[in-house]
Amino acid sequence: MKAQIEQTRIAIEDFVITDATSLEAFRIQFIGSKGSIKQLFGGLKEVPNEEKRAVGQLLNELRQLAEGKFESSKDALETTESNDSTIDVSRPGEPIALGARHPLSIVRSEIISIFERIGYTVSEGPEIEDDWHNFSALNFPPEHPARDMQDTFFIEKGEREMALRTHTSSVQVRVMESSTPPIRTISPGRVYRNEAISARAHCFFHQVEGLYIDKNVSFADLKQTLDYFAKALFGEKARIRLRPSYFPFTEPSAEVDVSCTICNAKGCNVCKHTGWLEILGCGMVDPNVLKASGIDPEVYTGFAFGMGIERIAQLKFKVNDLRLYSENDVRFLNQFKGVNF
Ligand code: PHE
């Protein structure tokens, strides 16, 4: 019996535990309910009475030895498992699926970078706007239809009636109020209109506003800036044309078309066989707007323009349904992987 105990003791000491499997094998061989220590205890009844005490003590020591080794090996394994030194750095990595930038983000950063190259800064304003910045300061008469519930989402905020801004022109006013000319800034942002959602209209979309105020700014400067912009965005072959239009906050006003990038102005479905695509509205800032924003119209003049980011993205990426931009369908979004223009 004593010889068996001694053999087991040596076996316990020599047993090499390196991982969870060998730890479990150790437990089964020595400590488990069918393990050798249990069996040795079972043999205790055959030991002569006068030796029982001494052998019992040896067995208890054996059990402590095995349990001690088990516990300390277990602890050691647990700490090395969470220790970086056991990570096999030569193992090939699991590929991580990369997302794509949203097409509207791609277009917005492109527009920003084109204007930054000619000295424009980026400014932003709140999406929840007051009547003054969204309408009144922009020379909208009180009865103007855009103020109507049908176009504008009004919300109540405390005592004041506020609205979700219907265009980024509100940021023009904020910039003019808070700075002195020369001002050269673009304001990208989300705008809201109370429209039924369809392929061609949505209740929210994105615009980029441009504003340039200084002494002697002329309509020729506006035209030149937009020509530069169209060529930078659509390529050297792009041409623009201006059609007279009306906005309360600009006088004179124009709508700007770019030569159709899809058919090279030859005529196709997208340009409705005209060879031209409308991309933005613009004009010389109305003296009333300058005055309302604290800028002397006798000293300064300026121009403003505004465009829809969705519209530009539609032309760039041939996306023909506005709803796709906000549905978060990965099949749509994944198509923009690696797109950088
Ligand atoms: N705010 C106008 C719109 O939403 C666009 C615009 C901006 C027109 C600046 C002229 C000057 O349609």
Side-chain angles (χ1 to χ4, degrees):
M1 183 74 171
K2 279 192 184 155
Q4 267 178 312
I5 294 176
E6 181 56 15
Q7 259 176 21
T8 315
R9 195 185 62 75
I10 292 168
I12 290 172
E13 273 171 0
D14 288 353
F15 200 105
V16 185
I17 298 175
T18 51
D19 53 13
T21 323
S22 47
L23 179 72
E24 179 61 4
F26 177 85
R27 191 190 65 77
I28 292 168
Q29 185 174 335
F30 300 107
I31 314 172
S33 54
K34 291 182 184 132
S36 48
I37 296 176
K38 262 268 153 56
Q39 279 170 20
L40 287 170
F41 269 105
L44 200 55
K45 53 183 177 301
E46 271 116 57
V47 173
N49 273 348
E50 61 278 16
E51 283 180 34
K52 266 205 175 94
R53 212 184 128 91
V55 173
Q57 202 178 337
L58 283 175
L59 280 175
N60 276 331
E61 280 167 20
L62 193 68
R63 184 165 58 195
Q64 274 162 21
L65 179 72
E67 284 175 357
K69 178 160 176 160
F70 177 79
E71 289 303 329
S72 60
S73 304
K74 195 172 147 197
D75 286 353
L77 280 179
E78 272 164 10
T79 45
T80 42
E81 254 165 34
S82 57
N83 184 336
D84 283 354
S85 64
T86 62
I87 290 177
D88 178 0
V89 289
S90 66
R91 243 178 87 180
E94 298 274 324
I96 298 168
L98 281 185
R101 290 174 73 206
H102 193 282
L104 298 179
S105 301
I106 298 173
V107 172
R108 185 189 50 212
S109 3
E110 177 67 9
I111 296 171
I112 290 175
S113 90
I114 290 172
F115 282 104
E116 274 177 348
R117 273 176 246 158
I118 53 169
Y120 280 68
T121 58
V122 175
S123 47
E124 286 182 332
E127 289 181 21
I128 297 174
E129 195 48 286
D130 51 36
D131 176 274
W132 172 255
H133 292 98
N134 198 73
F135 295 124
S136 296
L138 287 165
N139 207 31
F140 280 81
E143 70 286 357
H144 194 282
R147 293 168 177 252
D148 202 304
M149 272 306 253
Q150 270 138 41
D151 287 305
T152 308
F153 286 116
F154 288 98
I155 49 175
E156 273 174 32
K157 204 183 173 201
E159 300 284 281
R160 290 161 74 199
E161 188 173 56
M162 307 281 284
L164 297 179
R165 68 179 174 196
T166 57
H167 52 182
T168 43
S169 299
S170 55
V171 190
Q172 275 190 39
V173 180
R174 290 187 172 273
V175 173
M176 286 192 275
E177 282 173 341
S178 61
S179 44
T180 46
I183 295 169
R184 243 177 304 170
T185 191
I186 50 165
S187 320
R190 182 175 287 176
V191 302
Y192 301 82
R193 287 184 199 172
N194 194 354
E195 305 224 22
I197 296 170
S198 71
R200 314 182 118 253
H202 212 295
C203 58
F204 68 82
F205 54 98
H206 300 79
Q207 291 187 328
V208 177
E209 188 82 6
L211 179 71
Y212 184 16
I213 310 281
D214 202 353
K215 287 176 181 153
N216 302 318
V217 177
S218 72
F219 202 90
D221 298 319
L222 169 59
K223 238 183 131 172
Q224 182 56 44
T225 304
L226 296 176
D227 187 59
Y228 154 78
F229 169 69
K231 288 187 162 60
L233 189 66
F234 294 110
E236 274 307 306
K237 283 206 214 120
R239 282 169 297 131
I240 55 164
R241 77 172 181 190
L242 277 70
R243 286 175 288 106
S245 185
Y246 173 78
F247 299 101
F249 35 92
T250 46
E251 184 60 35
S253 305
E255 261 158 353
V256 180
D257 298 338
V258 64
S259 50
C260 182
T261 49
I262 289 160
C263 62
N264 273 328
K266 286 189 189 73
C268 67
N269 283 343
V270 179
C271 63
K272 301 202 184 79
H273 302 281
T274 62
W276 295 97
L277 301 158
E278 188 191 324
I279 55 162
L280 56 84
C282 66
M284 301 305 290
V285 179
D286 194 292
N288 287 340
V289 177
L290 294 174
K291 236 184 280 168
S293 313
I295 288 176
D296 186 352
E298 300 298 328
V299 182
Y300 294 105
T301 51
F303 61 73
F305 54 86
M307 67 188 101
I309 301 184
E310 279 83 349
R311 172 74 176 147
I312 308 270
Q314 178 193 5
L315 300 177
K316 273 281 174 190
F317 301 131
K318 305 186 176 56
V319 176
N320 55 11
D321 190 330
L322 273 178
R323 292 167 293 194
L324 287 166
Y325 291 118
S326 49
E327 278 171 351
N328 275 341
D329 185 333
V330 287
R331 290 168 303 180
F332 172 69
L333 298 172
N334 274 340
Q335 295 177 59
F336 300 94
K337 269 188 187 166
V339 176
N340 263 325
F341 67 81

